[in-house]
Amino acid sequence: MFEINRRRLNPRWNITEDFAGYMFMMPTILVLGTFVVLPILFAVFLSLQKVQLLGGIQYEFIGFRNFTRLVEDERVWIALRNTAEYVAIVVPTQTVVALILAVTLNSGIRGKNWWRILYFLPTVTSSAVLTLIFMWIYNTEGLLNDFLAFVGLPTYNWLGDPAVALKGIMLMNIWSTAPFFMVIYLAALQDIPQTVYEAAELDGANEWRQFIYITIPLLKPVTFFVVAMGVIGTFQLFDQSYIFSGGTGGPNNATLTVVLLVYQAVFRNLQMGYAAAIAFLLASVIITLTIIARRLFGGEQI
């Protein structure tokens, strides 16, 4: 014991011990520094520059003019509105659908293994492939319009009508992403002790009350994770919107999203500094909504 205390009080020993610890951490520090910290710092640098890409790369410091331009750019507000509408509909819907599917599979229905495979198939399918399939379904003479006409409902030009184009992408994403969150909910449901439900049943609580007052409160940390991941994923919507509109965000900017706007700024307009400013706007919105979700669903309990 005396030898250990003497080592702790020895400054040389403390320095050697700290150095050894940092050496063990060095691979992780290098990876994070190279692929996380440096790109963030470079993005900050770009957002304050006007970058000339043609005829040799040149940087011109312009301060915060890229950020002030965001306020004046109408397409930024259109992209934010489209993305906010998309998030406001898709995230709650896919969360509720995922919970319902998980509760159904956890209830002991027959052939639940087959149902799990069937539910999870959209998640393991390529997003680009799913988008092409749904474009075929959404065609004016496609399967969806044929079904709507068969049941006597109005048909739509899902790909060309600005009023419904984004809704078509919403339907596809809810169908393809809800099964992923279903698996997370299912794992959490199976982790809840059965003794809690047995005690509630002895107290006279029916299945609905058990679901409302036991299952949902115990799933709040998981719900926070599902909502946070859903917000992050939906705000980063790009590939479906790009394929649906051919990269234009049409029709009439109806499917224009923030990430698609970043892509257009870089690869079409060659404005890397402005694209970095848009990316920081997107990051600030995602961080803000994640903090709000943490407050609402008690993510600190995880």
Side-chain angles (χ1 to χ4, degrees), residues 136-150:
W136 171 73
I137 294 174
Y138 287 151
N139 193 279
T140 52
E141 298 179 357
L143 187 62
L144 182 56
N145 276 345
D146 288 344
F147 173 77
L148 292 175
F150 177 76

Side-chain angles (χ1 to χ4, degrees), residues 128-187:
V129 173
L130 282 178
T131 305
L132 293 174
I133 292 174
F134 269 81
M135 287 182 68
W136 171 73
I137 294 174
Y138 287 151
N139 193 279
T140 52
E141 298 179 357
L143 187 62
L144 182 56
N145 276 345
D146 288 344
F147 173 77
L148 292 175
F150 177 76
V151 298
L153 295 175
T155 59
Y156 299 96
N157 182 6
W158 294 92
L159 302 178
D161 188 350
V164 296
L166 188 63
K167 277 71 174 178
I169 300 178
M170 292 178 187
L171 288 174
M172 180 188 67
N173 274 273
I174 292 169
W175 179 76
S176 62
T177 56
F180 171 75
F181 297 116
M182 173 202 71
V183 174
I184 298 173
Y185 268 127
L186 184 59

Side-chain angles (χ1 to χ4, degrees), residues 69-297:
R69 180 182 168 189
L70 293 175
V71 182
E72 304 168 357
D73 192 344
E74 182 183 1
R75 298 188 80 234
V76 171
W77 294 105
I78 293 174
L80 278 174
R81 185 179 67 246
N82 290 341
T83 308
E85 179 185 354
Y86 179 83
V87 172
I89 295 176
V90 171
V91 173
T93 305
Q94 73 183 10
T95 302
V96 172
V97 171
L99 180 58
I100 293 174
L101 293 177
V103 171
T104 303
L105 291 178
N106 196 51
S107 62
I109 61 174
R110 295 182 60 182
K112 60 182 180 181
N113 290 333
W114 290 104
W115 285 112
R116 289 180 185 178
I117 295 173
L118 183 63
Y119 288 157
F120 200 70
L121 275 178
T123 301
V124 298
T125 306
S126 168
S127 177
V129 173
L130 282 178
T131 305
L132 293 174
I133 292 174
F134 269 81
M135 287 182 68
W136 171 73
I137 294 174
Y138 287 151
N139 193 279
T140 52
E141 298 179 357
L143 187 62
L144 182 56
N145 276 345
D146 288 344
F147 173 77
L148 292 175
F150 177 76
V151 298
L153 295 175
T155 59
Y156 299 96
N157 182 6
W158 294 92
L159 302 178
D161 188 350
V164 296
L166 188 63
K167 277 71 174 178
I169 300 178
M170 292 178 187
L171 288 174
M172 180 188 67
N173 274 273
I174 292 169
W175 179 76
S176 62
T177 56
F180 171 75
F181 297 116
M182 173 202 71
V183 174
I184 298 173
Y185 268 127
L186 184 59
L189 286 170
Q190 293 176 348
D191 198 44
I192 298 176
Q194 282 298 120
T195 54
V196 178
Y197 294 106
E198 293 171 359
E201 189 175 356
L202 290 175
D203 289 337
N206 56 28
E207 292 184 355
W208 176 249
R209 286 182 172 272
Q210 292 176 27
F211 178 74
I212 295 296
Y213 295 106
I214 296 177
T215 305
I216 291 182
L218 290 177
L219 290 178
K220 282 183 67 176
V222 180
T223 301
F224 161 72
F225 175 79
V226 169
V227 170
M229 293 299 295
V231 167
I232 294 171
T234 49
F235 260 106
Q236 293 177 341
L237 174 68
F238 169 74
D239 49 351
Q240 296 96 333
S241 178
Y242 179 87
I243 297 172
F244 259 79
S245 64
T248 63
N252 195 24
N253 292 325
T255 59
L256 181 66
T257 62
V258 179
V259 179
L260 181 57
L261 193 62
V262 173
Y263 168 85
Q264 292 179 352
V266 175
F267 294 101
R268 292 194 174 186
N269 304 327
L270 302 179
Q271 299 174 344
M272 293 186 65
Y274 187 53
I278 301 174
F280 276 110
L281 172 65
L282 176 62
S284 62
V285 172
I286 291 175
I287 292 171
T288 302
L289 291 179
T290 304
I291 293 174
I292 294 173
R294 182 183 179 91
R295 295 289 186 183
L296 291 176
F297 297 103

